[in-house]
Amino acid sequence: MPVASARPIVLTASERERLKKMAYGHKTEHRLRQRAQVVLHAARNRSNARIARETGLHLDTVRTWRGRFAAHRLPALGDRKRSGRPAAFTPLQSAQVKALACQLPAESGTPLSRWSAPELAREVVARAIAGAISASTVRRWLKQDAIKPWQYQSWIFITDPAFRPKAERVLELYARTWDGGRLGADEYVISADEKTSIQARCRCHPTLAPGQARAMRVNHTYGRGGALAYLAAYDVHHAKTFGRCEARTGIDPFMALVAQVMTQEPYASAKRVFWVVDNGSSHRGKKAADRLRAAYPNAVLVHTPVHASWLNQVEIYFSVVQRKVVTPNDFTDLHEVADRLRAFEDRYNATAQPYQWKFTTSDLDDLLARLDRHTADHPEKSSAAKAA
């Protein structure tokens, strides 16, 4: 019985280039690499038997992929769709589970703060949505639509009626602008605040340094050595930080920080020094602004909007302090805490660069527009928040 001749393969330049990348690429799947090699051998007019010997594949496998490529070219080298086993769940059940995940547990009387995949699986069975379902199946369905009910984010509604003008003033200062004019070389912007309740936790056993395949180990039990407040003033455009440790916060500690900055050059002889602060009790309202101007006539107090401390750049510095100095907390007493903070301040100032602040007044308008749209879509929630 005559044997059918092998199907001839003629490649274009682009096909040859693609096949070479598939055949010799380090990230190509092994099966795709073998199929590409079969086609490249076939393009050299080699017989199926010879290709099978050189690639180590079965003759029928070589004949199959050679024939598929000859018929349908490169797309034919991929796997064909397979029917697989029948689906265990219907699309309606999947949609019902996703809808349940998008409801708060309290709405259905479930005593949970938020859903987890195992809890959702139990609730699905309890509601007879499905007879049985695994947590991994629920998690896979939710992943399709990026639904993560076990996570949460907090927010706060804007309550300051002058939010935009106050925020705009701060953002313009960061851009070296005030009342429509550019700041001069002898004008400075200081961002100031307090980091409260920095504790001295003396661990009951010494902290162990990290080693091979071992993280640093910090003993869980500790003795309390008190707490202090760290006040800092950050020169926004010159990346200079001034800090001091106090037993507590208040008007006097804050004014001591102001004196620490304003009694030295170049701030003492500056034309104006703008102090950006939040609405904490140490520097709140017009009285604080008058008190600052009475002590230092060239100082101008600028408040961020209520609940908008994120506009204060010194908070970025405090986050660095929290990550690099305070955590993990292992100090013998408050003197060690204060010494570490002062030493870090000197180290930070030696290499600090101004923060690349990118939030502008245009971004502010976009943010407020999104909040307005949210309020329009959920009038009952916003009105309830305002009433509270």
Side-chain angles (χ1 to χ4, degrees):
M1 184 174 180
V3 178
S5 59
R7 301 188 65 172
I9 300 295
V10 179
L11 300 178
T12 64
S14 60
E15 287 177 335
R16 188 178 299 276
E17 184 67 23
R18 287 279 304 279
L19 287 167
K20 285 183 177 180
K21 289 183 179 180
M22 290 172 60
Y24 306 110
H26 296 293
K27 297 183 178 180
T28 306
E29 293 182 25
H30 178 68
R31 55 186 175 179
L32 291 179
R33 184 182 294 113
Q34 287 182 324
R35 296 167 191 175
Q37 290 173 355
V38 167
V39 176
L40 288 173
H41 282 299
R44 300 187 182 100
N45 293 323
R46 294 176 179 174
S47 66
N48 291 338
R50 180 180 175 183
I51 296 174
R53 289 195 303 271
E54 294 184 0
T55 60
L57 298 174
H58 193 277
L59 179 61
D60 291 340
T61 302
V62 173
R63 187 180 293 113
T64 296
W65 292 111
R66 183 172 189 160
R68 287 189 185 181
F69 183 86
H72 303 291
R73 314 307 290 180
L74 281 171
L77 296 184
D79 291 338
R80 291 177 176 175
K81 291 184 178 181
R82 302 177 183 178
S83 59
R85 69 177 182 180
F89 303 97
T90 65
L92 176 60
Q93 289 174 311
S94 174
Q96 288 176 320
V97 171
K98 293 177 182 179
L100 177 62
C102 293
Q103 298 176 9
L104 295 177
E107 294 178 1
S108 60
T110 306
L112 296 172
S113 60
R114 55 188 185 274
W115 292 117
S116 65
E119 293 291 351
L120 278 170
R122 295 190 191 98
E123 188 69 15
V124 167
V125 174
R127 294 191 180 198
I129 296 175
I133 190 171
S134 66
S136 59
T137 299
V138 172
R139 189 177 294 108
R140 184 174 67 254
W141 287 350
L142 298 183
K143 185 178 180 181
Q144 294 172 359
D145 293 332
I147 302 173
K148 301 176 182 179
W150 46 85
Q151 297 182 359
Y152 71 93
Q153 293 180 337
S154 61
W155 88 95
I156 188 169
F157 281 101
I158 292 177
T159 58
D160 193 331
F163 185 92
R164 194 196 183 286
K166 288 182 179 179
E168 183 180 23
R169 288 199 307 170
V170 174
L171 295 175
E172 286 182 347
L173 282 175
Y174 293 162
R176 297 197 62 82
T177 302
W178 180 256
D179 288 341
R182 297 289 297 173
L183 296 184
D186 58 345
E187 294 179 294
Y188 300 88
V189 179
I190 301 292
S191 173
D193 202 1
E194 306 95 351
K195 183 174 178 61
T196 61
S197 299
I198 301 179
Q199 299 185 45
R201 297 177 178 177
C202 184
R203 303 293 169 172
C204 296
H205 295 279
T207 296
L208 300 179
Q212 185 176 6
R214 187 190 74 216
M216 181 173 65
R217 296 182 178 179
V218 182
N219 183 237
H220 179 72
T221 56
Y222 57 86
R224 298 181 182 273
L228 55 76
Y230 180 51
L231 287 73
Y234 175 73
D235 189 325
V236 170
H237 300 117
H238 300 87
K240 175 72 172 177
T241 303
F242 306 88
R244 62 186 300 110
C245 295
E246 298 284 354
R248 58 184 60 86
T249 61
I251 294 175
D252 292 338
F254 176 73
M255 291 305 295
L257 175 68
V258 174
Q260 180 180 339
V261 177
M262 298 300 295
T263 55
Q264 58 180 289
E265 296 297 341
Y267 311 101
S269 58
K271 178 181 178 181
R272 284 183 299 189
V273 180
F274 297 91
W275 284 76
V276 178
V277 296
D278 60 15
N279 295 272
S281 58
S282 304
H283 34 68
R284 180 188 300 158
K286 185 176 182 302
K287 288 185 178 180
D290 295 340
R291 184 168 53 247
L292 187 67
R293 181 173 290 277
Y296 303 97
N298 61 338
V300 180
L301 196 65
V302 180
H303 288 97
T304 64
V306 177
H307 300 312
S309 293
W310 52 272
L311 284 172
N312 207 348
Q313 286 198 24
V314 75
E315 299 296 341
I316 304 176
Y317 173 72
F318 282 152
S319 71
V320 176
V321 170
Q322 180 66 35
R323 287 183 285 110
K324 294 190 175 184
V325 182
V326 178
T327 306
N329 192 310
D330 186 6
F331 301 98
T332 56
D333 53 35
L334 290 178
H335 294 292
E336 186 178 352
V337 177
D339 292 342
R340 178 78 62 82
L341 288 169
R342 283 191 290 265
F344 176 77
E345 185 181 307
D346 294 337
R347 178 188 179 92
Y348 185 85
N349 285 333
T351 59
Q353 297 290 329
Y355 300 130
Q356 296 182 6
W357 187 267
K358 297 181 179 180
F359 191 84
T360 64
T361 53
S362 297
D363 299 316
L364 175 65
D365 290 336
D366 292 339
L367 172 63
L368 295 177
R370 290 199 303 272
L371 293 176
D372 288 341
R373 289 195 296 271
H374 176 81
T375 303
D377 294 338
H378 305 83
E380 69 286 349
K381 294 183 179 180
S382 60
S383 60
K386 292 178 180 178

